[in-house]
């Protein structure tokens, strides 16, 4: 069962940070570069993001 954190009332009143179109284009180009380099890995990361799983799962080592 997922637990969600409810934001405090003070934080909810803060204005959102505005992102410019140039910043969005920059991020899109950066992501596109990663997809071009390794499309299989990008697809795997995207699937895990859709499923809500973290990319890096902590691996426990034997003591």
């Amino acid at each position: 069962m997922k637990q969600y954190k409810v934001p405090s009332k003070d934080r909810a009143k803060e204005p959102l940070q505005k992102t410019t179109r140039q910043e969005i284009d920059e991020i899109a180009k950066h992501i596109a570069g990663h997809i071009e380099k390794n499309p299989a890995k990008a697809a795997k990361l995207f699937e895990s993001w859709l499923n809500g799983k973290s990319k890096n799962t902590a691996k426990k080592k034997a003591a």
Side-chain angles (χ1 to χ4, degrees), residues 31 35 38-55:
I31 293 170
I35 293 171
N38 194 343
K41 183 177 180 182
K44 186 177 176 183
L45 288 173
F46 184 69
E47 285 293 323
S48 69
W49 175 76
L50 284 176
N51 293 329
K53 297 176 185 171
S54 71
K55 178 181 86 167

